[in-house]
Amino acid sequence: MGVLENKFQDNVIVASLDKLLGWARSTSPWYFQFGLACCAIEMMASAASRHDLERIGMMPRSSPRQADVMIVAGTVTMKMALRVKKLYEQMADPKYVISMGSCATSGGPYWQHGYHVLKGVDLVVPVDVYVPGCPPRPEALIEGLLKLQEKIQTERPLTRKSA
Amino acid sequence: MTSAEIKAVLEHQFPAAMVENEDLTEKQVELKGNQWLEIATFIKNDPDLSFDQLECITGYDTGEDGPLQTRYNLHSMEHRHKIEVVISHNRENPNVASIEQLWRIGDWFERETYDMFGIVYEGHRDLRRILCPDDWEGWPLRKDYEGQETYHGIVVQKMKEEEGWE
Ligand code: SF4
């Protein structure tokens, strides 16, 4: 902002719209709350008073239409996989997916004999951040969320991508 | 009543239905499937037996050559006695009368056993899969079950022993 800097009064901020949008988006990614297995308990713990996700601007929504981030917390069965995909498709762009725990990432404890478990949610929806653990502690999930916020911040929604 | 006394009552009432099975413990009794609804009605309503609680229905696969079994855990609230009834089915066409209308809890128990073993409960009013999706193929808890390769276009990745993971 070299040219425009210090040209205005003190209470005017100059920024590029791209960056401003990235900043605005990254600081309030509302997440879609649905727990699939034990990992959901840790997700709830992250949202509750001790860790308090709202402190980093994240608030649970019960409808995919209102959510920006889908936290896949737990074991995705084949039966659920179709529903997860459908819910992902119902979310409005821009949308992000966090794969929480080893079940969602790779099938977890069911990787060999779980005939009905999807071996990684990335087989049905694109995943932005993987959080390892069985289950990950709330601190780990929060780190994953902060990583996601960093990622959103670097996006340039108005810049045309070169082919 | 002790298990032996319960068995004696059954033997007295339904001599044709008893099956000898060495593998069972003394708390278990094997019966033939063809009279099952009649026997079940009797042991539920008889004042001395009064099995008013169906605790569980389990499917059981005795191996590739053996029969499939349904096992009913029955308990009497009144007399505080228990018995496990075992009924064997042949592998090709496993079926037995449903007791869903006798003990209402049997509704979901039978659906689950059907879902996992493919045992058909004749007379069940709503025999659908309960855990697996409706269009699932095969009976997962049978010993000879082979998981499906794909489900709605999603590859069911299989990790086999050959891959050196064990
Ligand atoms: S990763 Fe572990 S804690 Fe999480 S859903 Fe799977 S089994 Fe449960």
Side-chain angles (χ1 to χ4, degrees):
Chain A
M1 297 306 120
V3 188
L4 294 176
E5 226 151 9
N6 303 328
K7 289 269 159 69
F8 303 97
Q9 284 168 352
D10 285 352
N11 52 358
V12 175
I13 297 169
V14 183
S16 85
L17 189 55
D18 246 0
K19 274 191 185 164
L20 204 60
L21 282 176
W23 170 78
R25 278 180 179 180
S26 73
T27 43
S28 71
W30 290 358
Y31 66 95
F32 183 21
Q33 56 155 5
F34 69 104
L36 297 181
C38 9
C39 272
I41 303 291
E42 295 297 294
M43 182 178 71
M44 291 175 227
S46 320
S49 47
R50 179 170 290 240
H51 296 281
D52 194 10
L53 282 186
E54 273 183 54
R55 162 172 79 93
I56 55 170
M58 305 202 60
M59 161 176 175
R61 305 305 302 173
S62 303
S63 158
R65 305 281 187 208
Q66 300 168 349
D68 306 300
V69 185
M70 178 184 215
I71 304 181
V72 184
T75 320
V76 188
T77 58
M78 284 296 167
K79 196 176 185 177
M80 193 64 196
L82 303 178
R83 276 103 177 144
V84 167
K85 194 168 173 205
K86 194 174 279 173
L87 290 169
Y88 177 76
E89 281 160 2
Q90 285 176 350
M91 285 164 65
D93 268 325
K95 52 192 173 185
Y96 307 92
V97 176
I98 290 186
S99 157
M100 176 182 185
S102 41
C103 278
T105 305
S106 68
Y110 316 103
W111 59 273
Q112 190 176 21
H113 298 296
Y115 58 91
H116 65 300
V117 174
L118 186 70
K119 306 296 186 311
V121 73
D122 47 8
L123 292 171
V124 288
V125 294
V127 175
D128 294 279
V129 177
Y130 298 89
V131 181
C134 178
R137 288 183 58 93
E139 290 90 326
L141 178 63
I142 290 170
E143 170 148 18
L145 296 170
L146 292 175
K147 279 269 180 301
L148 180 72
Q149 292 194 345
E150 272 170 36
K151 179 175 171 169
I152 300 173
Q153 214 147 24
T154 57
E155 276 177 4
R156 296 285 167 266
L158 297 180
T159 311
R160 191 169 290 147
K161 291 184 188 70
S162 53
Chain B
M1 270 199 223
T2 63
S3 306
E5 286 167 340
I6 295 168
K7 275 188 225 172
V9 175
L10 283 173
E11 185 124 34
H12 177 69
Q13 287 286 335
F14 305 97
M18 307 300 284
V19 181
E20 281 294 316
N21 188 338
E22 301 280 284
D23 298 336
L24 300 182
T25 66
E26 60 169 53
K27 289 198 157 60
Q28 297 169 313
V29 56
E30 177 157 357
L31 300 174
K32 286 208 188 99
N34 49 8
Q35 271 181 292
W36 170 229
L37 189 59
E38 199 185 318
I39 302 173
T41 314
F42 170 77
I43 59 177
K44 186 184 173 193
N45 297 328
D46 184 73
D48 290 333
L49 294 176
S50 174
F51 284 108
D52 46 10
Q53 190 191 15
L54 175 62
E55 289 184 324
C56 190
I57 296 181
T58 316
Y60 197 89
D61 188 346
T62 51
E64 312 256 314
D65 306 317
L68 294 169
Q69 291 179 336
T70 308
R71 298 185 166 200
Y72 302 82
N73 295 88
L74 296 164
H75 175 243
S76 169
M77 290 280 188
E78 191 181 340
H79 303 300
R80 310 262 174 102
H81 57 213
K82 289 185 181 209
I83 192 87
E84 180 172 324
V85 174
V86 179
I87 293 179
S88 295
H89 319 286
N90 78 31
R91 261 191 126 63
E92 280 65 51
N93 183 21
N95 62 9
V96 68
S98 165
I99 46 76
E100 166 245 346
Q101 297 186 43
L102 206 55
W103 291 282
R104 279 297 287 130
I105 186 73
D107 185 346
W108 281 15
F109 286 163
E110 285 184 345
R111 278 179 66 185
E112 187 181 357
T113 319
Y114 165 73
D115 192 359
M116 293 294 150
F117 292 90
I119 299 166
V120 176
Y121 295 92
E122 308 269 354
H124 191 294
R125 290 171 293 182
D126 185 26
L127 195 64
R128 285 177 293 132
R129 284 185 183 271
I130 192 170
L131 297 169
C132 293
D134 288 343
D135 52 359
W136 196 255
E137 291 161 20
W139 313 108
L141 289 190
R142 285 202 194 180
K143 299 258 196 236
D144 54 3
Y145 175 69
E146 281 288 331
Q148 52 199 73
E149 300 285 319
T150 57
Y151 178 70
H152 284 261
I154 305 166
V155 181
V156 184
Q157 285 179 332
K158 287 195 203 159
M159 312 272 186
K160 290 252 170 71
E161 280 89 65
E162 302 94 77
E163 287 172 23
W165 283 87
E166 268 188 344

